[in-house]
Amino acid sequence: MQPRSLCLKNEKGFVIQSIFDSVYASYFALNESAVETKRKDINIEKIDYKRYNIDFLKPVVEISEIIRNDMPDDILDFILHGSLATHDFVPGWSDFDSMVIIKDSTLGDSFKMMRLRSMFLDIDKVIKKIDPHQHHGIHFITEKDLLMYPSLFLPIDILKEGISLMSGQKITLFNRDSREEEISRFNSIYNTFKKAYSGGVLRHHEYNGEYLKRSFMNYKNGMYQLKYFLSVIVILPSYFMNLLGEYPAKGSSIEKCRSIMKGSSFEIIDKATLIRSSWSHFPVTSNEIPKEVMDILGKNYFFDGYNLIKEMKRYLEV
């Protein structure tokens, strides 16, 4: 459903159809009754178009109109969350955080899924108008997922702050424990940062065949990759607090984490948030890392990132 699937563009239609058939079969082999859950009812407010009547946010309205006109029978909802929903965004930096809930009836029809995939690939082009350096796509889940919903997807309190790009509604989900998956996610980031520090290359989210290297060695082609790295740095306090059993918003997570993780290891988070807040002042027209960003961050970003997550891991004992 995401642009990375364009690697299949030379495959015959029946190949993609068979993939969707396999996904459907796998989902409905799951036994949600075997998982302990707790029911949650969430009211998702409808988008207020008046709040999005500025140039930077007009693509959100464009996407909403596409969905409401072309997909009302295929998806349960399209939920925008994060800074574009709460309106504490930074133009040019804030990305498009979203979750789409695909109806079970759509998931079971490979022809509908192929049509939906084509439309979402077009929507991805609209998303890039908001953030050319967007490093993730839409998060797709299904109605089936709502019956065993993990906080790993998106914490419920954060989901409550989202807005519907459709008509707004009450969504009922059944929340399950996902601590082991959250530990696995955290340790995966730890291993990635450790290898980046020791090897000098962040082997994640390449751009035009190139990964981010140490000390801005490839600053001419590194902003997309660096933005991914900094985005992970800023979300780490949330993951840290999640593993302590709390699910606050990103800003609150940073302050709560700061009170626990005292010391110099936290400085890279402050540098990343400063880059975010100052982004509109930087002349970014390509994938080159601006000098101002390099001056704020400093050349030791791989060491600083690894040192941060290493201290978190030591505290969490995971």
Side-chain angles (χ1 to χ4, degrees):
M1 301 295 284
Q2 296 189 3
R4 70 188 70 177
S5 70
L6 289 172
C7 62
L8 300 170
K9 65 182 179 181
N10 294 325
E11 298 289 349
K12 302 293 184 183
F14 75 86
V15 174
I16 299 175
Q17 182 181 348
S18 66
I19 292 173
F20 283 130
D21 287 338
S22 297
V23 170
Y24 174 77
S26 299
Y27 258 99
F28 282 87
L30 297 173
N31 180 13
E32 67 272 9
S33 62
V35 181
E36 184 177 341
T37 61
K38 185 175 181 180
R39 175 174 174 151
K40 301 283 185 179
D41 294 314
I42 301 174
N43 290 311
I44 305 295
E45 297 293 330
K46 176 183 175 181
I47 181 174
D48 180 355
Y49 287 126
K50 290 181 291 186
R51 299 192 71 197
Y52 290 82
N53 190 28
I54 60 175
D55 287 343
F56 171 66
L57 295 178
K58 283 182 179 178
V60 175
V61 176
E62 183 180 349
I63 291 169
S64 177
E65 290 174 346
I66 293 171
I67 295 157
R68 297 179 70 179
N69 292 333
D70 300 335
M71 304 183 192
D73 298 326
D74 297 321
I75 63 177
L76 183 66
D77 212 338
F78 191 123
I79 302 170
L80 180 69
H81 61 89
S83 61
L84 295 187
T86 56
H87 274 249
D88 54 348
F89 55 82
V90 174
W93 181 271
S94 294
D95 49 14
F96 188 91
D97 296 317
S98 60
M99 176 184 288
V100 168
I101 307 170
I102 299 174
K103 290 183 177 180
D104 289 343
S105 58
T106 306
L107 187 65
D109 188 327
S110 57
F111 290 101
K112 285 185 178 180
M113 289 297 291
M114 290 173 71
R115 172 180 171 273
L116 206 61
R117 173 176 178 264
S118 178
M119 288 191 289
F120 276 117
L121 289 176
D122 288 338
I123 284 175
D124 184 74
K125 298 172 185 176
V126 182
I127 291 174
K128 291 290 177 25
K129 295 179 183 178
I130 295 173
D131 178 16
H133 297 110
Q134 175 104 1
H135 61 267
H136 63 81
I138 298 166
H139 182 191
F140 293 95
I141 69 171
T142 69
E143 285 185 289
K144 180 88 168 179
D145 286 310
L146 297 179
L147 300 177
M148 41 189 170
Y149 182 91
S151 295
L152 178 83
F153 282 174
L154 182 69
I156 291 173
D157 286 343
I158 309 301
L159 184 58
K160 289 178 180 177
E161 296 181 346
I163 59 170
S164 170
L165 299 192
M166 297 178 73
S167 57
Q169 61 178 300
K170 182 176 81 170
I171 292 178
T172 297
L173 57 81
F174 296 83
N175 193 209
R176 67 172 176 84
D177 178 72
S178 58
R179 177 172 171 77
E180 291 304 314
E181 294 152 276
E182 291 168 27
I183 291 174
S184 178
R185 174 177 62 186
F186 183 88
N187 283 330
S188 177
I189 297 171
Y190 170 82
N191 290 328
T192 299
F193 278 19
K194 182 178 181 180
K195 290 175 182 176
Y197 168 59
S198 61
V201 180
L202 182 72
R203 298 191 178 279
H204 218 294
H205 282 73
E206 54 83 24
Y207 187 88
N208 288 340
E210 191 170 12
Y211 293 107
L212 181 67
K213 297 178 182 179
R214 66 159 63 100
S215 304
F216 302 115
M217 289 174 61
N218 59 332
Y219 76 94
K220 290 283 188 180
N221 180 38
M223 192 61 237
Y224 169 83
Q225 305 93 310
L226 181 64
K227 186 171 186 286
Y228 165 74
F229 174 73
L230 295 178
S231 297
V232 175
I233 290 293
V234 173
I235 200 67
L236 276 177
S238 295
Y239 294 166
F240 177 84
M241 296 308 302
N242 294 169
L243 289 173
L244 291 178
E246 298 184 38
Y247 293 86
K250 186 185 294 184
S252 298
S253 292
I254 289 175
E255 295 313 311
K256 284 176 176 286
C257 183
R258 186 194 305 276
S259 67
I260 298 170
M261 298 294 300
K262 298 181 176 69
S264 60
S265 63
F266 208 82
E267 289 179 6
I268 190 170
I269 295 178
D270 292 329
K271 291 178 179 179
T273 54
L274 178 58
I275 290 170
R276 176 188 185 273
S277 64
S278 306
W279 188 249
S280 61
H281 301 295
F282 302 146
V284 180
T285 57
S286 65
N287 200 45
E288 182 174 338
I289 302 172
K291 180 181 182 299
E292 295 89 342
V293 170
M294 293 189 280
D295 290 342
I296 293 172
L297 189 59
K299 291 185 176 182
N300 295 322
Y301 42 90
F302 283 164
F303 168 78
D304 293 339
Y306 173 55
N307 191 43
L308 170 68
I309 197 167
K310 181 175 67 174
E311 291 300 314
M312 288 180 168
K313 183 176 173 65
R314 181 180 294 129
Y315 185 91
L316 293 167
E317 297 182 340
V318 295

